[in-house]
Amino acid sequence: MPQFPHLRRVAAAASITGLALSLAACTSGSGSGSSADGTVTIGFVNGGDTEFHTCLQKSVEATATGSKVKLYTANSHQNPGTELSNIEDMISRNVDALIVQTVNVDALKGDIAKARAAKIPIFLTSVVTDDPTEILGAVVVDLTKVGQLDADWVAEDAAGKAAEVGIIAGAPGAASDLLTSGFSKQLPSNARVVANQPGMFNAAKAQDVAENMIQAHPDLAYAFVANEEMAFGARKAFAAAGKNVKIVTVNGTEQGLAAVKDGRFSATVANSAMTTGRLAIDNSLNLLRKGGADKIAKTPITLITKENLAEAPRYCP
């Protein structure tokens, strides 16, 4: 996996190619980083097409509408070249700030360089740089901790008994790597990882991976799946094989919570895309205006099981 040493965490997923740039909302506002009439113009470059990306954009758009922001949006569809083109288009529109949900760490390196050269502040979602002077700010999910919380559930459920564990990762890159490494390193010695394969954040691919996994390891007891979309595919494969593999996963969508409630998933770690999108707009504006906001904010995370379903935050606007 390619690495960029100044980055610690990134979420990325799904699909390919294309450029979709559109005006999402337009009202008037005020403050530093605004035009002569007080309007603050923000460009949001989304990275992909998973439910996370869709809900993140809905939240950014809704918050911008309520915050007197003129918003342009674009989607890079998990293509680094498209992402850089999107950044260049936003710069040509002379936006006051950029919010970027990056495709991968290598793409982000070029994004930051382009934005800094154009003297446009860049705010990141799901990623933070080691040197915060490079960016306006960020809102991130502690992906390592997400994996650790799921591992803690497995450890408690296994209760010291030997257990085989499978990992269905996402796409190669920092997001998936941080999730899976956090999970695997937190497992107790009695829980042994016997398979670790990428599902590419795609339900059909994850189902194929799970089918192969259960054939190779018929005694598999637990599976960590790097998002709920893939977890549904894995559940189908395990059920078809007549195996009640306990699944722990990530997101906290309505569908995911329903699966926890009826037992298809044993646990999920809720990290609201709606909260991430709201913080991205609110904190960008506050930081542009030199107001009170954390430069690096964290989206809260919560391990959700049948016992605490009511604690799950709303995932999508």
Side-chain angles (χ1 to χ4, degrees):
M1 178 197 73
Q3 291 287 344
F4 177 37
H6 297 298
L7 302 177
R8 290 200 296 270
R9 51 182 71 91
V10 60
S15 200
I16 54 170
T17 66
L19 173 65
L21 185 61
S22 62
L23 178 62
C26 179
T27 53
S28 61
S30 62
S32 175
S34 61
S35 62
D37 66 358
T39 300
V40 178
T41 303
I42 292 178
F44 172 56
V45 179
N46 207 348
D49 305 283
T50 67
E51 186 167 6
F52 166 78
H53 293 95
T54 300
C55 293
L56 177 66
Q57 181 153 327
K58 286 181 179 179
S59 182
V60 166
E61 290 171 342
T63 308
T65 298
S67 301
K68 300 180 178 180
V69 168
K70 181 178 181 180
L71 181 71
Y72 294 101
T73 67
N75 196 314
S76 304
H77 304 293
Q78 203 54 35
N79 185 308
T82 301
E83 178 166 299
L84 192 56
S85 294
N86 285 334
I87 296 292
E88 291 169 345
D89 280 345
M90 293 295 183
I91 290 171
S92 73
R93 291 172 182 263
N94 198 30
V95 296
D96 297 310
L98 277 164
I99 297 174
V100 178
Q101 170 68 34
T102 191
V103 168
N104 61 39
V105 292
D106 291 329
L108 184 58
K109 182 178 180 180
D111 297 344
I112 292 174
K114 284 282 185 181
R116 284 169 63 86
K119 302 189 184 320
I120 294 177
I122 188 168
F123 187 97
L124 307 176
T125 56
S126 305
V127 67
V128 60
T129 56
D130 285 331
D131 180 6
T133 62
E134 295 179 326
I135 59 174
L136 176 65
V139 54
V140 300
V141 175
D142 189 340
L143 296 172
T144 299
K145 183 63 176 177
V146 168
Q148 290 172 345
L149 288 175
D150 273 335
D152 287 342
W153 186 91
V154 171
E156 182 176 353
D157 190 71
K161 296 178 182 178
E164 292 187 356
V165 182
I167 293 175
I168 301 179
S176 180
D177 289 354
L178 288 169
L179 285 167
T180 57
S181 66
F183 175 80
S184 59
K185 290 178 181 178
Q186 188 77 358
L187 285 174
S189 58
N190 58 290
R192 183 168 62 96
V193 175
V194 295
N196 184 344
Q197 296 176 293
M200 302 305 294
F201 291 115
N202 178 277
K205 173 65 174 175
Q207 185 171 346
D208 290 341
V209 168
E211 288 172 355
N212 294 332
M213 194 173 286
I214 199 65
Q215 288 175 8
H217 305 282
D219 294 328
L220 195 72
Y222 300 95
F224 171 74
V225 189
N227 76 359
E228 289 170 358
E229 292 177 59
M230 292 194 300
F232 282 111
R235 179 77 278 155
K236 288 180 181 178
F238 296 146
K243 301 291 186 179
N244 186 27
V245 179
K246 295 180 179 180
I247 292 175
V248 292
T249 185
V250 181
N251 280 152
T253 65
E254 288 186 17
Q255 299 91 333
L257 297 177
V260 171
K261 185 176 182 178
D262 65 24
R264 284 173 290 165
F265 301 163
S266 294
T268 191
V269 179
N271 53 101
S272 168
M274 185 175 76
T275 299
T276 298
R278 175 179 55 79
L279 287 172
I281 290 291
D282 288 348
N283 288 11
S284 292
L285 291 175
N286 285 330
L287 290 165
L288 283 170
R289 296 164 178 166
K290 313 299 182 185
D294 292 334
K295 188 178 182 75
I296 310 299
K298 288 187 177 181
T299 300
I301 58 175
T302 307
L303 179 74
I304 301 297
T305 64
K306 284 184 178 180
E307 288 68 36
N308 69 335
L309 277 166
E311 296 180 19
R314 187 172 179 179
Y315 187 79
C316 198

